Amino acid sequence: MSHSGGFIPIVAVYLLVALIVYAGSTGLHSMVIPAETAALFAGAAGGGALAPAVDVPMAAMIAVVGLSGIAASAAAYTAGHRLGPPALGWRVLIVRRERLLQAHRFLDHSARSALFLGPFTGFRRQVLPALAGITALPYPRFLAWTGLGTAVWTVLFVGLGRLASHHAQGATRITVTLFLFAVLSLVAADITLWRLRTR
């Protein structure tokens, strides 16, 4: 079985990071763990601070985070284009209506800036792709600016995770195990909460 050079399978690391980034970057879900947390974790894992538990290539972690974010944005755009406003979900349409209107005005006033800066704000990262689909913004234009913003966001947060990892080179296996257990527990709690909300 493929492994990461430690006692945690590399596929599990990739899937964990991809799941959190994807779910945290689309308005179709409401994650307890923000996408930034997964990006920071990816940087720490790629930086080697979590070895021997996790030992994965930095380039691979950047690719996983970036591609997951872009895939989430593309899926949200498609949902918005096909479903219209319902793609945003009733909580956004009703509970967060004022913030949604602000995001819509930003997109309408300056689509390039909105799409580029969108990934850096949790709410806008979740709603702007769907709004772009709803307003029929040309897909190549959407993908270019969202992709550029996501790429910068990815390098920034994964880089910060790697930078922070240099201060944790002495972490023990027990400490790393507890950290990973906490992340997995939060993921499980988030999935349970989402299932209860959608009943």
PDB file of all heavy atoms in Angstrom, residues 25 69-78 107 111-112 114-116 119 124-150:
ATOM      1  N   SER A  25     -14.674  25.528   0.393  1.00  0.00           N
ATOM      2  CA  SER A  25     -14.608  26.509  -0.685  1.00  0.00           C
ATOM      3  C   SER A  25     -15.866  26.540  -1.535  1.00  0.00           C
ATOM      4  O   SER A  25     -15.903  27.167  -2.579  1.00  0.00           O
ATOM      5  CB  SER A  25     -13.404  26.209  -1.594  1.00  0.00           C
ATOM      6  OG  SER A  25     -12.199  26.275  -0.865  1.00  0.00           O
ATOM      7  N   GLY A  69      -9.390  23.687  -4.496  1.00  0.00           N
ATOM      8  CA  GLY A  69     -10.063  24.979  -4.439  1.00  0.00           C
ATOM      9  C   GLY A  69     -10.669  25.360  -5.771  1.00  0.00           C
ATOM     10  O   GLY A  69     -11.809  25.842  -5.841  1.00  0.00           O
ATOM     11  N   ILE A  70      -9.926  25.140  -6.851  1.00  0.00           N
ATOM     12  CA  ILE A  70     -10.435  25.471  -8.184  1.00  0.00           C
ATOM     13  C   ILE A  70     -11.600  24.563  -8.563  1.00  0.00           C
ATOM     14  O   ILE A  70     -12.593  25.014  -9.146  1.00  0.00           O
ATOM     15  CB  ILE A  70      -9.301  25.361  -9.222  1.00  0.00           C
ATOM     16  CG1 ILE A  70      -8.253  26.457  -8.970  1.00  0.00           C
ATOM     17  CG2 ILE A  70      -9.854  25.477 -10.649  1.00  0.00           C
ATOM     18  CD1 ILE A  70      -7.026  26.345  -9.855  1.00  0.00           C
ATOM     19  N   ALA A  71     -11.498  23.278  -8.231  1.00  0.00           N
ATOM     20  CA  ALA A  71     -12.583  22.343  -8.524  1.00  0.00           C
ATOM     21  C   ALA A  71     -13.856  22.742  -7.791  1.00  0.00           C
ATOM     22  O   ALA A  71     -14.967  22.658  -8.344  1.00  0.00           O
ATOM     23  CB  ALA A  71     -12.176  20.923  -8.137  1.00  0.00           C
ATOM     24  N   ALA A  72     -13.719  23.183  -6.544  1.00  0.00           N
ATOM     25  CA  ALA A  72     -14.886  23.614  -5.774  1.00  0.00           C
ATOM     26  C   ALA A  72     -15.530  24.840  -6.407  1.00  0.00           C
ATOM     27  O   ALA A  72     -16.760  24.935  -6.514  1.00  0.00           O
ATOM     28  CB  ALA A  72     -14.474  23.918  -4.335  1.00  0.00           C
ATOM     29  N   SER A  73     -14.717  25.786  -6.830  1.00  0.00           N
ATOM     30  CA  SER A  73     -15.244  26.999  -7.471  1.00  0.00           C
ATOM     31  C   SER A  73     -15.944  26.655  -8.779  1.00  0.00           C
ATOM     32  O   SER A  73     -17.014  27.203  -9.080  1.00  0.00           O
ATOM     33  CB  SER A  73     -14.107  27.990  -7.732  1.00  0.00           C
ATOM     34  OG  SER A  73     -13.541  28.441  -6.516  1.00  0.00           O
ATOM     35  N   ALA A  74     -15.350  25.766  -9.562  1.00  0.00           N
ATOM     36  CA  ALA A  74     -15.957  25.357 -10.833  1.00  0.00           C
ATOM     37  C   ALA A  74     -17.294  24.662 -10.601  1.00  0.00           C
ATOM     38  O   ALA A  74     -18.269  24.894 -11.336  1.00  0.00           O
ATOM     39  CB  ALA A  74     -15.008  24.439 -11.597  1.00  0.00           C
ATOM     40  N   ALA A  75     -17.367  23.822  -9.564  1.00  0.00           N
ATOM     41  CA  ALA A  75     -18.619  23.123  -9.250  1.00  0.00           C
ATOM     42  C   ALA A  75     -19.695  24.109  -8.814  1.00  0.00           C
ATOM     43  O   ALA A  75     -20.864  23.988  -9.200  1.00  0.00           O
ATOM     44  CB  ALA A  75     -18.369  22.083  -8.162  1.00  0.00           C
ATOM     45  N   ALA A  76     -19.301  25.098  -8.004  1.00  0.00           N
ATOM     46  CA  ALA A  76     -20.262  26.097  -7.542  1.00  0.00           C
ATOM     47  C   ALA A  76     -20.750  26.956  -8.708  1.00  0.00           C
ATOM     48  O   ALA A  76     -21.938  27.312  -8.778  1.00  0.00           O
ATOM     49  CB  ALA A  76     -19.629  26.971  -6.470  1.00  0.00           C
ATOM     50  N   TYR A  77     -19.850  27.305  -9.621  1.00  0.00           N
ATOM     51  CA  TYR A  77     -20.243  28.079 -10.810  1.00  0.00           C
ATOM     52  C   TYR A  77     -21.276  27.294 -11.625  1.00  0.00           C
ATOM     53  O   TYR A  77     -22.298  27.836 -12.047  1.00  0.00           O
ATOM     54  CB  TYR A  77     -19.015  28.383 -11.660  1.00  0.00           C
ATOM     55  CG  TYR A  77     -19.328  29.120 -12.951  1.00  0.00           C
ATOM     56  CD1 TYR A  77     -19.219  30.501 -13.022  1.00  0.00           C
ATOM     57  CD2 TYR A  77     -19.732  28.417 -14.092  1.00  0.00           C
ATOM     58  CE1 TYR A  77     -19.504  31.182 -14.207  1.00  0.00           C
ATOM     59  CE2 TYR A  77     -20.025  29.081 -15.273  1.00  0.00           C
ATOM     60  CZ  TYR A  77     -19.910  30.461 -15.320  1.00  0.00           C
ATOM     61  OH  TYR A  77     -20.210  31.125 -16.492  1.00  0.00           O
ATOM     62  N   THR A  78     -20.996  26.029 -11.851  1.00  0.00           N
ATOM     63  CA  THR A  78     -21.903  25.183 -12.627  1.00  0.00           C
ATOM     64  C   THR A  78     -23.263  25.063 -11.947  1.00  0.00           C
ATOM     65  O   THR A  78     -24.312  25.141 -12.609  1.00  0.00           O
ATOM     66  CB  THR A  78     -21.300  23.779 -12.817  1.00  0.00           C
ATOM     67  OG1 THR A  78     -20.042  23.899 -13.496  1.00  0.00           O
ATOM     68  CG2 THR A  78     -22.217  22.890 -13.630  1.00  0.00           C
ATOM     69  N   LEU A 107     -19.139  41.904  -7.147  1.00  0.00           N
ATOM     70  CA  LEU A 107     -18.960  41.159  -8.391  1.00  0.00           C
ATOM     71  C   LEU A 107     -19.431  41.983  -9.582  1.00  0.00           C
ATOM     72  O   LEU A 107     -18.786  42.002 -10.640  1.00  0.00           O
ATOM     73  CB  LEU A 107     -19.731  39.838  -8.320  1.00  0.00           C
ATOM     74  CG  LEU A 107     -19.636  38.929  -9.550  1.00  0.00           C
ATOM     75  CD1 LEU A 107     -18.217  38.423  -9.732  1.00  0.00           C
ATOM     76  CD2 LEU A 107     -20.600  37.749  -9.405  1.00  0.00           C
ATOM     77  N   ALA A 111     -15.710  42.585 -11.453  1.00  0.00           N
ATOM     78  CA  ALA A 111     -15.682  41.124 -11.457  1.00  0.00           C
ATOM     79  C   ALA A 111     -14.273  40.577 -11.267  1.00  0.00           C
ATOM     80  O   ALA A 111     -14.059  39.620 -10.522  1.00  0.00           O
ATOM     81  CB  ALA A 111     -16.273  40.595 -12.758  1.00  0.00           C
ATOM     82  N   ARG A 112     -13.298  41.188 -11.919  1.00  0.00           N
ATOM     83  CA  ARG A 112     -11.928  40.679 -11.819  1.00  0.00           C
ATOM     84  C   ARG A 112     -11.397  40.753 -10.393  1.00  0.00           C
ATOM     85  O   ARG A 112     -10.837  39.780  -9.871  1.00  0.00           O
ATOM     86  CB  ARG A 112     -11.007  41.445 -12.771  1.00  0.00           C
ATOM     87  CG  ARG A 112     -11.244  41.122 -14.235  1.00  0.00           C
ATOM     88  CD  ARG A 112     -10.334  41.918 -15.151  1.00  0.00           C
ATOM     89  NE  ARG A 112     -10.613  43.357 -15.078  1.00  0.00           N
ATOM     90  CZ  ARG A 112      -9.989  44.278 -15.807  1.00  0.00           C
ATOM     91  NH1 ARG A 112      -9.042  43.901 -16.660  1.00  0.00           N
ATOM     92  NH2 ARG A 112     -10.300  45.558 -15.697  1.00  0.00           N
ATOM     93  N   ALA A 114     -13.193  41.027  -7.630  1.00  0.00           N
ATOM     94  CA  ALA A 114     -14.014  40.179  -6.758  1.00  0.00           C
ATOM     95  C   ALA A 114     -13.577  38.727  -6.840  1.00  0.00           C
ATOM     96  O   ALA A 114     -13.425  38.043  -5.817  1.00  0.00           O
ATOM     97  CB  ALA A 114     -15.488  40.321  -7.139  1.00  0.00           C
ATOM     98  N   LEU A 115     -13.366  38.245  -8.056  1.00  0.00           N
ATOM     99  CA  LEU A 115     -12.988  36.845  -8.234  1.00  0.00           C
ATOM    100  C   LEU A 115     -11.573  36.566  -7.754  1.00  0.00           C
ATOM    101  O   LEU A 115     -11.294  35.497  -7.213  1.00  0.00           O
ATOM    102  CB  LEU A 115     -13.139  36.450  -9.704  1.00  0.00           C
ATOM    103  CG  LEU A 115     -14.574  36.455 -10.235  1.00  0.00           C
ATOM    104  CD1 LEU A 115     -14.587  36.227 -11.734  1.00  0.00           C
ATOM    105  CD2 LEU A 115     -15.425  35.420  -9.520  1.00  0.00           C
ATOM    106  N   PHE A 116     -10.671  37.525  -7.959  1.00  0.00           N
ATOM    107  CA  PHE A 116      -9.294  37.336  -7.519  1.00  0.00           C
ATOM    108  C   PHE A 116      -9.204  37.354  -5.989  1.00  0.00           C
ATOM    109  O   PHE A 116      -8.488  36.536  -5.389  1.00  0.00           O
ATOM    110  CB  PHE A 116      -8.401  38.429  -8.101  1.00  0.00           C
ATOM    111  CG  PHE A 116      -6.975  38.351  -7.619  1.00  0.00           C
ATOM    112  CD1 PHE A 116      -6.101  37.420  -8.154  1.00  0.00           C
ATOM    113  CD2 PHE A 116      -6.511  39.194  -6.617  1.00  0.00           C
ATOM    114  CE1 PHE A 116      -4.790  37.327  -7.706  1.00  0.00           C
ATOM    115  CE2 PHE A 116      -5.206  39.111  -6.166  1.00  0.00           C
ATOM    116  CZ  PHE A 116      -4.336  38.183  -6.713  1.00  0.00           C
ATOM    117  N   PRO A 119     -11.162  34.179  -2.867  1.00  0.00           N
ATOM    118  CA  PRO A 119     -10.638  33.078  -2.075  1.00  0.00           C
ATOM    119  C   PRO A 119     -10.092  33.482  -0.703  1.00  0.00           C
ATOM    120  O   PRO A 119      -9.968  32.635   0.189  1.00  0.00           O
ATOM    121  CB  PRO A 119      -9.509  32.523  -2.960  1.00  0.00           C
ATOM    122  CG  PRO A 119      -9.913  32.886  -4.345  1.00  0.00           C
ATOM    123  CD  PRO A 119     -10.551  34.232  -4.205  1.00  0.00           C
ATOM    124  N   ARG A 124     -17.147  35.036   0.831  1.00  0.00           N
ATOM    125  CA  ARG A 124     -17.071  35.336  -0.601  1.00  0.00           C
ATOM    126  C   ARG A 124     -16.534  34.159  -1.392  1.00  0.00           C
ATOM    127  O   ARG A 124     -16.930  33.917  -2.535  1.00  0.00           O
ATOM    128  CB  ARG A 124     -16.211  36.574  -0.842  1.00  0.00           C
ATOM    129  CG  ARG A 124     -16.891  37.867  -0.413  1.00  0.00           C
ATOM    130  CD  ARG A 124     -15.994  39.066  -0.621  1.00  0.00           C
ATOM    131  NE  ARG A 124     -16.681  40.308  -0.276  1.00  0.00           N
ATOM    132  CZ  ARG A 124     -16.097  41.482  -0.213  1.00  0.00           C
ATOM    133  NH1 ARG A 124     -14.793  41.594  -0.467  1.00  0.00           N
ATOM    134  NH2 ARG A 124     -16.788  42.563   0.095  1.00  0.00           N
ATOM    135  N   ARG A 125     -15.612  33.418  -0.802  1.00  0.00           N
ATOM    136  CA  ARG A 125     -15.081  32.230  -1.473  1.00  0.00           C
ATOM    137  C   ARG A 125     -16.206  31.232  -1.742  1.00  0.00           C
ATOM    138  O   ARG A 125     -16.198  30.526  -2.752  1.00  0.00           O
ATOM    139  CB  ARG A 125     -13.997  31.580  -0.616  1.00  0.00           C
ATOM    140  CG  ARG A 125     -13.395  30.325  -1.240  1.00  0.00           C
ATOM    141  CD  ARG A 125     -12.170  29.844  -0.482  1.00  0.00           C
ATOM    142  NE  ARG A 125     -12.482  29.473   0.876  1.00  0.00           N
ATOM    143  CZ  ARG A 125     -11.934  30.065   1.954  1.00  0.00           C
ATOM    144  NH1 ARG A 125     -11.070  31.043   1.810  1.00  0.00           N
ATOM    145  NH2 ARG A 125     -12.253  29.653   3.162  1.00  0.00           N
ATOM    146  N   GLN A 126     -17.186  31.192  -0.850  1.00  0.00           N
ATOM    147  CA  GLN A 126     -18.285  30.242  -0.987  1.00  0.00           C
ATOM    148  C   GLN A 126     -19.374  30.717  -1.933  1.00  0.00           C
ATOM    149  O   GLN A 126     -19.988  29.899  -2.612  1.00  0.00           O
ATOM    150  CB  GLN A 126     -18.888  29.954   0.391  1.00  0.00           C
ATOM    151  CG  GLN A 126     -17.958  29.205   1.320  1.00  0.00           C
ATOM    152  CD  GLN A 126     -18.582  28.955   2.685  1.00  0.00           C
ATOM    153  OE1 GLN A 126     -19.620  29.522   3.008  1.00  0.00           O
ATOM    154  NE2 GLN A 126     -17.954  28.115   3.478  1.00  0.00           N
ATOM    155  N   VAL A 127     -19.640  32.022  -1.989  1.00  0.00           N
ATOM    156  CA  VAL A 127     -20.795  32.491  -2.766  1.00  0.00           C
ATOM    157  C   VAL A 127     -20.458  33.093  -4.131  1.00  0.00           C
ATOM    158  O   VAL A 127     -21.281  33.039  -5.046  1.00  0.00           O
ATOM    159  CB  VAL A 127     -21.628  33.520  -1.956  1.00  0.00           C
ATOM    160  CG1 VAL A 127     -22.092  32.918  -0.642  1.00  0.00           C
ATOM    161  CG2 VAL A 127     -20.852  34.807  -1.725  1.00  0.00           C
ATOM    162  N   LEU A 128     -19.270  33.675  -4.282  1.00  0.00           N
ATOM    163  CA  LEU A 128     -18.965  34.353  -5.542  1.00  0.00           C
ATOM    164  C   LEU A 128     -18.974  33.425  -6.762  1.00  0.00           C
ATOM    165  O   LEU A 128     -19.483  33.813  -7.820  1.00  0.00           O
ATOM    166  CB  LEU A 128     -17.634  35.091  -5.433  1.00  0.00           C
ATOM    167  CG  LEU A 128     -17.679  36.422  -4.685  1.00  0.00           C
ATOM    168  CD1 LEU A 128     -16.271  37.010  -4.542  1.00  0.00           C
ATOM    169  CD2 LEU A 128     -18.596  37.421  -5.402  1.00  0.00           C
ATOM    170  N   PRO A 129     -18.426  32.206  -6.674  1.00  0.00           N
ATOM    171  CA  PRO A 129     -18.492  31.329  -7.846  1.00  0.00           C
ATOM    172  C   PRO A 129     -19.929  31.038  -8.284  1.00  0.00           C
ATOM    173  O   PRO A 129     -20.237  31.066  -9.486  1.00  0.00           O
ATOM    174  CB  PRO A 129     -17.778  30.056  -7.379  1.00  0.00           C
ATOM    175  CG  PRO A 129     -16.820  30.543  -6.339  1.00  0.00           C
ATOM    176  CD  PRO A 129     -17.577  31.617  -5.613  1.00  0.00           C
ATOM    177  N   ALA A 130     -20.809  30.763  -7.318  1.00  0.00           N
ATOM    178  CA  ALA A 130     -22.212  30.508  -7.660  1.00  0.00           C
ATOM    179  C   ALA A 130     -22.867  31.760  -8.231  1.00  0.00           C
ATOM    180  O   ALA A 130     -23.635  31.690  -9.192  1.00  0.00           O
ATOM    181  CB  ALA A 130     -22.977  30.025  -6.429  1.00  0.00           C
ATOM    182  N   LEU A 131     -22.554  32.926  -7.641  1.00  0.00           N
ATOM    183  CA  LEU A 131     -23.094  34.181  -8.167  1.00  0.00           C
ATOM    184  C   LEU A 131     -22.623  34.419  -9.601  1.00  0.00           C
ATOM    185  O   LEU A 131     -23.392  34.904 -10.433  1.00  0.00           O
ATOM    186  CB  LEU A 131     -22.670  35.352  -7.274  1.00  0.00           C
ATOM    187  CG  LEU A 131     -23.456  35.565  -5.984  1.00  0.00           C
ATOM    188  CD1 LEU A 131     -22.826  36.684  -5.163  1.00  0.00           C
ATOM    189  CD2 LEU A 131     -24.904  35.895  -6.290  1.00  0.00           C
ATOM    190  N   ALA A 132     -21.368  34.097  -9.865  1.00  0.00           N
ATOM    191  CA  ALA A 132     -20.843  34.260 -11.224  1.00  0.00           C
ATOM    192  C   ALA A 132     -21.609  33.378 -12.200  1.00  0.00           C
ATOM    193  O   ALA A 132     -21.902  33.784 -13.329  1.00  0.00           O
ATOM    194  CB  ALA A 132     -19.352  33.919 -11.255  1.00  0.00           C
ATOM    195  N   GLY A 133     -21.955  32.176 -11.771  1.00  0.00           N
ATOM    196  CA  GLY A 133     -22.743  31.285 -12.620  1.00  0.00           C
ATOM    197  C   GLY A 133     -24.162  31.787 -12.809  1.00  0.00           C
ATOM    198  O   GLY A 133     -24.717  31.716 -13.911  1.00  0.00           O
ATOM    199  N   ILE A 134     -24.750  32.316 -11.735  1.00  0.00           N
ATOM    200  CA  ILE A 134     -26.114  32.834 -11.810  1.00  0.00           C
ATOM    201  C   ILE A 134     -26.204  34.023 -12.753  1.00  0.00           C
ATOM    202  O   ILE A 134     -27.159  34.157 -13.527  1.00  0.00           O
ATOM    203  CB  ILE A 134     -26.606  33.232 -10.400  1.00  0.00           C
ATOM    204  CG1 ILE A 134     -26.758  31.976  -9.522  1.00  0.00           C
ATOM    205  CG2 ILE A 134     -27.935  33.986 -10.471  1.00  0.00           C
ATOM    206  CD1 ILE A 134     -27.012  32.291  -8.060  1.00  0.00           C
ATOM    207  N   THR A 135     -25.200  34.891 -12.710  1.00  0.00           N
ATOM    208  CA  THR A 135     -25.203  36.090 -13.553  1.00  0.00           C
ATOM    209  C   THR A 135     -24.644  35.828 -14.947  1.00  0.00           C
ATOM    210  O   THR A 135     -24.490  36.758 -15.743  1.00  0.00           O
ATOM    211  CB  THR A 135     -24.383  37.210 -12.890  1.00  0.00           C
ATOM    212  OG1 THR A 135     -23.039  36.747 -12.652  1.00  0.00           O
ATOM    213  CG2 THR A 135     -24.994  37.607 -11.553  1.00  0.00           C
ATOM    214  N   ALA A 136     -24.340  34.559 -15.233  1.00  0.00           N
ATOM    215  CA  ALA A 136     -23.847  34.158 -16.560  1.00  0.00           C
ATOM    216  C   ALA A 136     -22.553  34.865 -16.945  1.00  0.00           C
ATOM    217  O   ALA A 136     -22.341  35.218 -18.108  1.00  0.00           O
ATOM    218  CB  ALA A 136     -24.928  34.402 -17.624  1.00  0.00           C
ATOM    219  N   LEU A 137     -21.677  35.081 -15.982  1.00  0.00           N
ATOM    220  CA  LEU A 137     -20.356  35.618 -16.287  1.00  0.00           C
ATOM    221  C   LEU A 137     -19.631  34.604 -17.174  1.00  0.00           C
ATOM    222  O   LEU A 137     -19.674  33.408 -16.886  1.00  0.00           O
ATOM    223  CB  LEU A 137     -19.575  35.840 -14.989  1.00  0.00           C
ATOM    224  CG  LEU A 137     -18.230  36.559 -15.098  1.00  0.00           C
ATOM    225  CD1 LEU A 137     -18.456  38.051 -15.338  1.00  0.00           C
ATOM    226  CD2 LEU A 137     -17.411  36.357 -13.838  1.00  0.00           C
ATOM    227  N   PRO A 138     -18.984  35.045 -18.239  1.00  0.00           N
ATOM    228  CA  PRO A 138     -18.294  34.089 -19.122  1.00  0.00           C
ATOM    229  C   PRO A 138     -17.358  33.172 -18.340  1.00  0.00           C
ATOM    230  O   PRO A 138     -16.537  33.645 -17.547  1.00  0.00           O
ATOM    231  CB  PRO A 138     -17.522  34.996 -20.084  1.00  0.00           C
ATOM    232  CG  PRO A 138     -18.339  36.251 -20.135  1.00  0.00           C
ATOM    233  CD  PRO A 138     -18.874  36.427 -18.728  1.00  0.00           C
ATOM    234  N   TYR A 139     -17.489  31.869 -18.582  1.00  0.00           N
ATOM    235  CA  TYR A 139     -16.726  30.896 -17.801  1.00  0.00           C
ATOM    236  C   TYR A 139     -15.216  31.063 -17.928  1.00  0.00           C
ATOM    237  O   TYR A 139     -14.504  30.983 -16.920  1.00  0.00           O
ATOM    238  CB  TYR A 139     -17.137  29.476 -18.203  1.00  0.00           C
ATOM    239  CG  TYR A 139     -16.495  28.420 -17.346  1.00  0.00           C
ATOM    240  CD1 TYR A 139     -16.919  28.210 -16.032  1.00  0.00           C
ATOM    241  CD2 TYR A 139     -15.447  27.635 -17.834  1.00  0.00           C
ATOM    242  CE1 TYR A 139     -16.331  27.245 -15.236  1.00  0.00           C
ATOM    243  CE2 TYR A 139     -14.852  26.678 -17.050  1.00  0.00           C
ATOM    244  CZ  TYR A 139     -15.292  26.484 -15.750  1.00  0.00           C
ATOM    245  OH  TYR A 139     -14.699  25.532 -14.968  1.00  0.00           O
ATOM    246  N   PRO A 140     -14.668  31.289 -19.131  1.00  0.00           N
ATOM    247  CA  PRO A 140     -13.206  31.483 -19.225  1.00  0.00           C
ATOM    248  C   PRO A 140     -12.728  32.654 -18.369  1.00  0.00           C
ATOM    249  O   PRO A 140     -11.668  32.564 -17.729  1.00  0.00           O
ATOM    250  CB  PRO A 140     -12.982  31.756 -20.719  1.00  0.00           C
ATOM    251  CG  PRO A 140     -14.126  31.076 -21.389  1.00  0.00           C
ATOM    252  CD  PRO A 140     -15.294  31.292 -20.471  1.00  0.00           C
ATOM    253  N   ARG A 141     -13.482  33.749 -18.354  1.00  0.00           N
ATOM    254  CA  ARG A 141     -13.112  34.911 -17.538  1.00  0.00           C
ATOM    255  C   ARG A 141     -13.197  34.561 -16.060  1.00  0.00           C
ATOM    256  O   ARG A 141     -12.305  34.897 -15.274  1.00  0.00           O
ATOM    257  CB  ARG A 141     -14.050  36.073 -17.859  1.00  0.00           C
ATOM    258  CG  ARG A 141     -13.736  37.358 -17.111  1.00  0.00           C
ATOM    259  CD  ARG A 141     -14.766  38.414 -17.462  1.00  0.00           C
ATOM    260  NE  ARG A 141     -14.521  39.654 -16.746  1.00  0.00           N
ATOM    261  CZ  ARG A 141     -15.360  40.681 -16.740  1.00  0.00           C
ATOM    262  NH1 ARG A 141     -16.495  40.611 -17.436  1.00  0.00           N
ATOM    263  NH2 ARG A 141     -15.079  41.769 -16.067  1.00  0.00           N
ATOM    264  N   PHE A 142     -14.263  33.860 -15.683  1.00  0.00           N
ATOM    265  CA  PHE A 142     -14.420  33.427 -14.294  1.00  0.00           C
ATOM    266  C   PHE A 142     -13.263  32.530 -13.865  1.00  0.00           C
ATOM    267  O   PHE A 142     -12.636  32.733 -12.816  1.00  0.00           O
ATOM    268  CB  PHE A 142     -15.748  32.684 -14.129  1.00  0.00           C
ATOM    269  CG  PHE A 142     -15.799  31.789 -12.930  1.00  0.00           C
ATOM    270  CD1 PHE A 142     -16.017  32.314 -11.659  1.00  0.00           C
ATOM    271  CD2 PHE A 142     -15.607  30.414 -13.055  1.00  0.00           C
ATOM    272  CE1 PHE A 142     -16.039  31.484 -10.546  1.00  0.00           C
ATOM    273  CE2 PHE A 142     -15.628  29.581 -11.948  1.00  0.00           C
ATOM    274  CZ  PHE A 142     -15.845  30.131 -10.689  1.00  0.00           C
ATOM    275  N   LEU A 143     -12.968  31.525 -14.687  1.00  0.00           N
ATOM    276  CA  LEU A 143     -11.947  30.542 -14.316  1.00  0.00           C
ATOM    277  C   LEU A 143     -10.564  31.177 -14.234  1.00  0.00           C
ATOM    278  O   LEU A 143      -9.769  30.836 -13.349  1.00  0.00           O
ATOM    279  CB  LEU A 143     -11.946  29.399 -15.332  1.00  0.00           C
ATOM    280  CG  LEU A 143     -11.075  28.189 -14.974  1.00  0.00           C
ATOM    281  CD1 LEU A 143     -11.552  27.559 -13.672  1.00  0.00           C
ATOM    282  CD2 LEU A 143     -11.107  27.171 -16.096  1.00  0.00           C
ATOM    283  N   ALA A 144     -10.275  32.107 -15.126  1.00  0.00           N
ATOM    284  CA  ALA A 144      -8.960  32.742 -15.137  1.00  0.00           C
ATOM    285  C   ALA A 144      -8.703  33.514 -13.848  1.00  0.00           C
ATOM    286  O   ALA A 144      -7.651  33.333 -13.207  1.00  0.00           O
ATOM    287  CB  ALA A 144      -8.840  33.673 -16.345  1.00  0.00           C
ATOM    288  N   TRP A 145      -9.651  34.355 -13.437  1.00  0.00           N
ATOM    289  CA  TRP A 145      -9.435  35.188 -12.258  1.00  0.00           C
ATOM    290  C   TRP A 145      -9.601  34.419 -10.953  1.00  0.00           C
ATOM    291  O   TRP A 145      -8.876  34.656  -9.984  1.00  0.00           O
ATOM    292  CB  TRP A 145     -10.352  36.408 -12.301  1.00  0.00           C
ATOM    293  CG  TRP A 145      -9.917  37.384 -13.331  1.00  0.00           C
ATOM    294  CD1 TRP A 145     -10.438  37.566 -14.582  1.00  0.00           C
ATOM    295  CD2 TRP A 145      -8.808  38.283 -13.230  1.00  0.00           C
ATOM    296  NE1 TRP A 145      -9.730  38.532 -15.261  1.00  0.00           N
ATOM    297  CE2 TRP A 145      -8.725  38.984 -14.456  1.00  0.00           C
ATOM    298  CE3 TRP A 145      -7.881  38.567 -12.227  1.00  0.00           C
ATOM    299  CZ2 TRP A 145      -7.750  39.956 -14.698  1.00  0.00           C
ATOM    300  CZ3 TRP A 145      -6.912  39.526 -12.464  1.00  0.00           C
ATOM    301  CH2 TRP A 145      -6.850  40.205 -13.679  1.00  0.00           C
ATOM    302  N   THR A 146     -10.540  33.478 -10.939  1.00  0.00           N
ATOM    303  CA  THR A 146     -10.683  32.636  -9.745  1.00  0.00           C
ATOM    304  C   THR A 146      -9.462  31.740  -9.588  1.00  0.00           C
ATOM    305  O   THR A 146      -8.955  31.550  -8.475  1.00  0.00           O
ATOM    306  CB  THR A 146     -11.945  31.758  -9.850  1.00  0.00           C
ATOM    307  OG1 THR A 146     -13.104  32.592  -9.839  1.00  0.00           O
ATOM    308  CG2 THR A 146     -12.034  30.793  -8.674  1.00  0.00           C
ATOM    309  N   GLY A 147      -8.980  31.197 -10.704  1.00  0.00           N
ATOM    310  CA  GLY A 147      -7.798  30.345 -10.653  1.00  0.00           C
ATOM    311  C   GLY A 147      -6.576  31.101 -10.179  1.00  0.00           C
ATOM    312  O   GLY A 147      -5.786  30.584  -9.372  1.00  0.00           O
ATOM    313  N   LEU A 148      -6.414  32.330 -10.651  1.00  0.00           N
ATOM    314  CA  LEU A 148      -5.275  33.140 -10.232  1.00  0.00           C
ATOM    315  C   LEU A 148      -5.362  33.452  -8.738  1.00  0.00           C
ATOM    316  O   LEU A 148      -4.366  33.325  -8.006  1.00  0.00           O
ATOM    317  CB  LEU A 148      -5.231  34.433 -11.041  1.00  0.00           C
ATOM    318  CG  LEU A 148      -4.065  35.383 -10.735  1.00  0.00           C
ATOM    319  CD1 LEU A 148      -2.734  34.687 -10.988  1.00  0.00           C
ATOM    320  CD2 LEU A 148      -4.179  36.651 -11.580  1.00  0.00           C
ATOM    321  N   GLY A 149      -6.536  33.861  -8.279  1.00  0.00           N
ATOM    322  CA  GLY A 149      -6.715  34.155  -6.856  1.00  0.00           C
ATOM    323  C   GLY A 149      -6.491  32.935  -5.989  1.00  0.00           C
ATOM    324  O   GLY A 149      -5.851  33.007  -4.935  1.00  0.00           O
ATOM    325  N   THR A 150      -7.001  31.781  -6.439  1.00  0.00           N
ATOM    326  CA  THR A 150      -6.826  30.540  -5.684  1.00  0.00           C
ATOM    327  C   THR A 150      -5.364  30.131  -5.633  1.00  0.00           C
ATOM    328  O   THR A 150      -4.883  29.637  -4.605  1.00  0.00           O
ATOM    329  CB  THR A 150      -7.665  29.408  -6.314  1.00  0.00           C
ATOM    330  OG1 THR A 150      -9.049  29.779  -6.306  1.00  0.00           O
ATOM    331  CG2 THR A 150      -7.496  28.105  -5.538  1.00  0.00           C
TER     332      THR A 150
END
